[in-house]
Amino acid sequence: MTILTVGVVGAGQMGNGIAHVFALSGYDVLLNDVAPESLDRALGMIGKNLDRQLHRGKISAEERAAALGRIRTTLTIADLGQTDLIIEAATERETVKQAIFDSLLPHLKPETILATNTSSISITRLASRTDRPEKFIGVHFMNPVPVMQLVELIRGIATGEETYRTLLGVIERLGKTPASAEDFPAFIVNRILIPMINEAVYTLYEGVGNVQSIDMAMKLGANHPMGPLELADFIGLDTCLAIMNVLYDGLADTKYRPCPLLTKYVEAGWLGRKTGRGFYDYRGETPVPTR
């Protein structure tokens, strides 16, 4: 299977990063979202991130211009049907992802590969709702996409060997490193990372330490580049909670029970950096712990 054109569904933080790295690697990209302002924001963010790479000497001015020239946008999801590979990068809710694939199916070429950037949801289950489970695969990029080296590649039970091999080649062309994972809840990275974050929230909830001491302890005591609560704010507390619920529901083990404090923050709409408040308040010049 030869991949030349790539459709990306969702122009948020992950979607615009995915479009960025594919365009920079020579693929023609069609970026879709339901909101025109999201597409405008995405193009602005891609331009800024390419500028950052240019100023650091990682790309040339010609490469920057060529990458931007390879990205087109559309509000009509049917337009993606003629691309060779479609990557869904919408919010981490299974009903949303299913609706996206349902709307794509009538418009697809027979050879089009479908992929999802889900960080936790069953690839097998999502694939079973389509007409091509053998051409369906999980391709989980890390955030921020232009910077992070790893991509998890997850085969569902029906994913064909040719589909898997094709995506291995695509990831290598992007200059990234694939890690193959089995299709179990949250795969590898989030199976390990998100319960650690949840345990940090329990440590806060139980009064063992405050936000600042917990993050400092893990940065200086375990040599982590970011503290777990700071990282949770960066990921989005709603995403962390969604992944914990997938683990709890999918593995039926009480060790994956989401911390009630994490649930409370999400109920308050304090989702982290993207809303201005989470475990830190970002509305001033310097982030301030909220507990």
Side-chain angles (χ1 to χ4, degrees):
M1 300 178 184
T2 302
I3 306 298
L4 300 174
T5 56
V6 179
V8 179
V9 183
Q13 192 173 37
M14 296 303 295
N16 78 62
I18 292 168
H20 172 144
V21 297
F22 271 93
L24 196 55
S25 297
Y27 294 95
D28 290 322
V29 177
L30 185 56
L31 180 60
N32 162 260
D33 202 280
V34 294
E37 59 272 20
S38 295
L39 292 172
D40 291 341
R41 260 196 316 272
L43 289 176
M45 184 59 66
I46 291 167
K48 286 180 184 175
N49 288 335
L50 286 167
D51 285 341
R52 189 176 293 116
Q53 290 177 309
L54 176 63
H55 294 147
R56 291 177 179 172
K58 295 184 179 296
I59 62 172
S60 66
E62 292 76 16
E63 288 171 321
R64 178 193 182 279
L68 285 174
R70 292 188 190 104
I71 301 172
R72 294 182 297 119
T73 62
T74 180
L75 294 168
T76 306
I77 199 165
D79 292 346
L80 274 61
Q82 295 306 300
T83 57
D84 302 321
L85 168 66
I86 298 175
I87 302 175
E88 170 274 315
T91 188
E92 192 68 0
R93 291 210 305 274
E94 189 164 350
T95 53
V96 172
K97 295 179 185 298
Q98 286 176 345
I100 287 168
F101 290 119
D102 288 347
S103 64
L104 279 168
L105 288 181
H107 310 287
L108 299 178
K109 298 188 297 181
E111 62 270 24
T112 297
I113 294 174
L114 293 177
T116 175
N117 184 57
T118 181
S119 54
S120 62
I121 297 168
S122 169
I123 305 304
T124 298
R125 197 163 59 240
L126 287 172
S128 72
R129 292 282 300 261
T130 75
D131 62 352
R132 60 196 66 205
E134 74 287 351
K135 287 186 169 67
F136 194 105
I137 194 164
V139 184
H140 179 216
F141 289 85
M142 304 296 122
N143 185 32
V145 180
V147 175
M148 299 296 280
Q149 183 67 24
L150 185 77
V151 180
E152 284 183 313
L153 198 55
I154 309 104
R155 279 180 283 194
I157 197 168
T159 303
E161 182 67 17
E162 189 179 3
T163 300
Y164 172 70
R165 293 288 169 193
T166 299
L167 265 297
L168 273 178
V170 167
I171 291 167
E172 287 165 0
R173 180 172 164 183
L174 296 178
K176 297 193 180 293
T177 303
S180 295
E182 293 300 318
D183 185 23
F184 290 99
F187 320 129
I188 296 172
V189 173
N190 285 325
R191 171 76 176 263
I192 298 166
L193 175 65
I194 301 299
M196 183 199 77
I197 287 173
N198 193 55
E199 194 61 31
V201 183
Y202 266 115
T203 307
L204 179 65
Y205 176 61
E206 293 168 3
V208 179
N210 59 28
V211 168
Q212 191 169 27
S213 63
I214 291 166
D215 277 351
M216 186 185 302
M218 293 307 292
K219 283 193 283 189
L220 301 183
N223 206 27
H224 289 192
M226 296 174 74
L229 301 175
E230 181 186 5
L231 181 56
D233 277 357
F234 179 74
I235 294 168
L237 304 193
D238 52 339
T239 301
C240 292
L241 180 59
I243 295 169
M244 283 307 302
N245 279 323
V246 166
L247 284 165
Y248 191 43
D249 295 341
L251 298 171
D253 191 324
T254 55
K255 73 180 181 180
Y256 297 116
R257 183 171 67 97
C259 180
L261 183 60
L262 178 60
T263 302
K264 193 64 66 181
Y265 268 71
V266 172
E267 288 174 344
W270 291 18
L271 308 182
R273 286 179 178 268
K274 61 187 173 185
T275 59
R277 273 188 294 189
F279 292 113
Y280 292 85
D281 189 326
Y282 299 92
R283 294 173 298 172
E285 287 186 18
T286 306
V288 178
T290 53
R291 289 180 86 84

